């Protein structure tokens, strides 16, 4: 390959990178609070916050989902519209389909067009109190509070996962040393042949967007979000005890806590079986050939 470099022969590669993603997001919230002087010693602060978090939207509906039982990518818009928007190319779609990749519409998959449902039932109570116990030099004050708050998945995590999905991504390459691309079907073609593409001389057309040569079995990827994706939540609470110990001096003890739930998690259910586990459990050599990259995967041994 060093010789090929000096002779002007190289491998070439290019990747499809989709254009801008026009994301739309919104939040609607309402908050109500009132304070009650229950007794001269006890004050209550009661509040309620309601939040509505519609699902992220893309202006052109270029979002993807996945139908796990059907092994199929779910499209938010028609495949022809995706071609018109240059979000993918026919050569990429056709190549993946030739390997067994399937797609279906969001209607057929029973998903909303944005792939997840809106999340509207987010009620967050706010509770607080202040109580002055005892009296005189022995008095102390106890304060406490509790709140339930919500926050959605950040847009960066959402977009990064969406943009890496098939058919938004695909590769094109030209490598005559690859047996699949060499004229005689054997490897190391440049070592055995005359150079006929020279860098900067006649190589402007070696990458052909009508031939997605860089796609093989195992190239297809799919990341999807749960249809009923919950909003993350955090419970927060505190309790404070204060007592004046001398003039202008207060001793204070405070306990603060929180508990978070529904955090974003990814479950990868098609990871390749490690070589050691394969050897120990099967007692066989690792698979080779066209299906080598998918044969050790538990969910899909065809294209994903």
């Amino acid at each position: 390959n060093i010789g090929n470099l000096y002779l002007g022969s190289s491998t070439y590669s290019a990747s499809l990178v989709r254009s801008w993603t026009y994301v739309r997001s919104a939040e609607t919230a309402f908050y109500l609070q009132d304070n009650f002087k229950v007794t001269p010693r006890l004050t209550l602060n009661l509040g309620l916050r309601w939040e509505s978090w519609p699902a992220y939207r893309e202006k052109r509906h270029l979002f993807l989902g996945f139908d796990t039982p059907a092994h199929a990518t779910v499209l938010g818009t028609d495949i022809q519209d995706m071609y018109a928007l240059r979000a993918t190319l026919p050569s990429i779609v056709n190549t993946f389909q030739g390997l067994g990749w399937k797609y279906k519409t969001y209607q057929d998959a029973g998903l909303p067009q944005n792939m997840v449902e809106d999340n509207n039932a987010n009620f967050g109570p706010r509770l607080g109190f202040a109580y002055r116990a005892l009296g005189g030099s022995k008095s102390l004050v106890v304060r406490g509070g509790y709140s339930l708050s919500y926050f959605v998945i950040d847009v960066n995590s959402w977009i990064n996962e969406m943009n890496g999905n098939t058919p938004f991504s695909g590769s094109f390459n030209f490598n005559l040393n690859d047996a699949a691309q060499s004229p005689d079907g054997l490897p190391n073609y440049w070592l055995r042949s005359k150079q006929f593409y020279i860098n900067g001389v006649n190589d402007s057309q070696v990458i052909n967007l009508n031939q997605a040569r860089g796609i093989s079995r195992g190239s297809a990827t799919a990341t999807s979000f749960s249809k009923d994706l919950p909003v993350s939540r955090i419970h927060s609470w505190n309790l404070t005890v204060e007592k004046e110990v001398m003039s202008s001096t207060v001793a204070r003890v405070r306990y603060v806590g929180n508990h978070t739930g529904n955090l974003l998690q990814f479950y990868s259910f098609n990871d390749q079986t490690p070589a050691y586990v394969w050897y120990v459990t099967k007692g066989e050599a690792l698979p080779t050939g066209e299906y080598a990259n998918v044969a050790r995967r538990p969910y899909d041994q065809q294209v994903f």
Side-chain angles (χ1 to χ4, degrees), residues 120-185:
N120 297 317
N122 305 307
F123 294 94
R126 306 288 196 272
L127 309 175
F129 76 93
Y131 179 68
R132 182 168 57 86
L134 305 176
S137 61
K138 295 183 179 181
S139 67
L140 56 85
V141 176
V142 182
R143 296 187 181 90
Y146 165 81
S147 68
L148 173 59
S149 304
Y150 299 88
F151 54 97
V152 296
I153 173 178
D154 63 282
V155 67
N156 185 62
S157 297
W158 179 274
I159 296 303
N160 281 346
E161 299 303 329
M162 282 290 170
N163 286 356
N165 280 342
T166 301
F168 285 160
S169 61
S171 299
F172 302 84
N173 65 41
F174 178 81
N175 179 10
L176 293 186
N177 275 340
D178 184 349
Q181 297 186 32
S182 66
D184 57 9

Side-chain angles (χ1 to χ4, degrees), residues 66-119:
F66 194 70
D67 187 328
T68 305
H71 291 231
T73 297
V74 180
L75 307 182
T77 190
D78 185 75
I79 196 75
Q80 297 300 323
D81 292 336
M82 294 172 66
Y83 294 154
L85 296 167
R86 303 292 283 181
T88 189
L89 297 173
S91 57
I92 290 177
V93 171
N94 294 338
T95 302
F96 275 121
Q97 284 186 299
L99 298 175
W101 177 75
K102 298 175 289 185
Y103 67 86
K104 61 197 311 185
T105 65
Y106 69 92
Q107 297 99 325
D108 292 338
L111 291 175
Q113 194 167 17
N114 301 306
M115 302 302 155
V116 302
E117 299 283 1
D118 295 343
N119 207 311

Side-chain angles (χ1 to χ4, degrees), residues 10-32:
S10 300
T11 60
Y12 299 80
S13 64
S15 298
L16 170 70
V17 179
R18 56 170 290 185
S19 184
W20 297 102
T21 304
Y22 297 94
V23 182
R24 301 288 185 268
S25 63
E27 174 193 359
T28 302
F30 176 79
Y31 183 65
L32 176 68

Side-chain angles (χ1 to χ4, degrees), residues 9 174 176 183 189-190 193-198 202:
S9 293
F174 178 81
L176 293 186
Y189 184 77
W190 278 333
S193 65
K194 179 181 178 180
Q195 315 301 313
F196 50 87
Y197 284 119
I198 307 300
N202 62 345

